[in-house]
Amino acid sequence: MLGLALAGGSAQAGGAEMREWGIRGGGGINPSSMIQYYAIHPYVGLSLWDSATDWFERHDMRALWMIEPWAAYVDDDKGPHTTESFELGVSPLFGRLVFGNYKLKPFIEGGEGIVYTDLRKQHLGTRIQFTSQFGAGLEYEIKPGMSLGFQARIRHMSNAGMASSNPGINTLYGLIGLSFR
């Protein structure tokens, strides 16, 4: 879908118009277990319904529904049992709100997703995990239609009670990326 949306320019997905696309990369760490994540996050930003998009634009804001797949290398090299693993996921319920119409704009974003991980050391109960995340950052317009972004994000991952073991993992991320409109 990402490839089709990028090729289509103003592609439609379920009635929503593609407004933005981009890619981010970065790393994160779980402060309690010191598990490290190195991830790449492409995304597609779609418009909301017309009246909502118009309202936000009249108030100098850009609101997007985002679909964000990601892949991460996971390094758990602390403690007596070290593990290297991976995770693959997607956040289909993700929102982004960018404030102002200046070269430097703050933004917030957050949402829900699902991830497959082979991280075994943490006794997560299942390989399928659910994620809740929230982030904030700054977007700098390099030239019209292209921005550089810096953000911090916190993510909670757990199996939502699908197994008797459900310890959850909280991760703090730093991401940098490019956005295109």
Side-chain angles (χ1 to χ4, degrees), residues 75-87:
D75 185 11
D76 187 1
D77 65 357
K78 305 294 186 244
H81 306 288
T82 63
T83 300
E84 291 181 354
S85 56
F86 70 93
E87 66 179 40

Side-chain angles (χ1 to χ4, degrees), residues 37 72 74 85-89 114-120 124 126-129 155 157 169:
Y37 295 81
V74 183
S85 56
F86 70 93
E87 66 179 40
L88 298 172
I114 189 167
V115 65
Y116 173 88
T117 183
D118 78 342
L119 182 62
R120 296 180 187 115
L124 296 174
T126 66
R127 293 200 180 186
I128 301 294
Q129 300 285 306
R155 181 186 80 173
M157 178 175 78
I169 295 176

Side-chain angles (χ1 to χ4, degrees), residues 92-181:
L93 302 172
F94 206 75
R96 178 179 172 111
L97 190 57
V98 182
F99 302 94
N101 202 8
Y102 309 102
K103 279 195 151 314
L104 186 63
K105 303 175 222 23
F107 65 87
I108 58 173
E109 57 188 28
E112 301 294 325
I114 189 167
V115 65
Y116 173 88
T117 183
D118 78 342
L119 182 62
R120 296 180 187 115
K121 184 175 140 185
Q122 299 300 315
H123 306 290
L124 296 174
T126 66
R127 293 200 180 186
I128 301 294
Q129 300 285 306
F130 298 94
T131 62
S132 298
Q133 53 217 335
F134 179 78
L138 293 171
E139 176 180 284
Y140 177 74
E141 186 175 4
I142 298 170
K143 64 180 190 176
M146 186 167 97
S147 297
L148 180 64
F150 302 92
Q151 94 178 90
R153 184 184 285 184
I154 186 166
R155 181 186 80 173
H156 173 75
M157 178 175 78
S158 74
N159 67 37
M162 293 189 325
S164 59
S165 178
N166 187 20
I169 295 176
N170 296 317
T171 306
L172 304 172
Y173 284 93
L175 298 166
I176 185 170
L178 285 173
S179 298
F180 302 92
R181 283 188 293 291

Side-chain angles (χ1 to χ4, degrees), residues 16-88:
E17 179 183 335
M18 188 179 80
R19 293 288 182 102
E20 181 175 310
W21 64 275
I23 190 157
R24 303 177 201 170
I29 190 163
N30 171 276
S32 62
S33 66
M34 304 305 287
I35 298 171
Q36 299 171 23
Y37 295 81
Y38 303 95
I40 188 161
H41 297 250
Y43 73 91
V44 174
L46 306 169
S47 63
L48 305 177
W49 59 96
D50 290 342
S51 59
T53 297
D54 293 344
W55 186 90
F56 281 109
E57 288 176 355
R58 280 195 310 274
H59 292 89
D60 282 333
M61 292 183 274
R62 188 172 74 246
L64 299 168
W65 164 44
M66 293 174 51
I67 300 172
E68 181 187 67
W70 75 88
Y73 164 75
V74 183
D75 185 11
D76 187 1
D77 65 357
K78 305 294 186 244
H81 306 288
T82 63
T83 300
E84 291 181 354
S85 56
F86 70 93
E87 66 179 40
L88 298 172

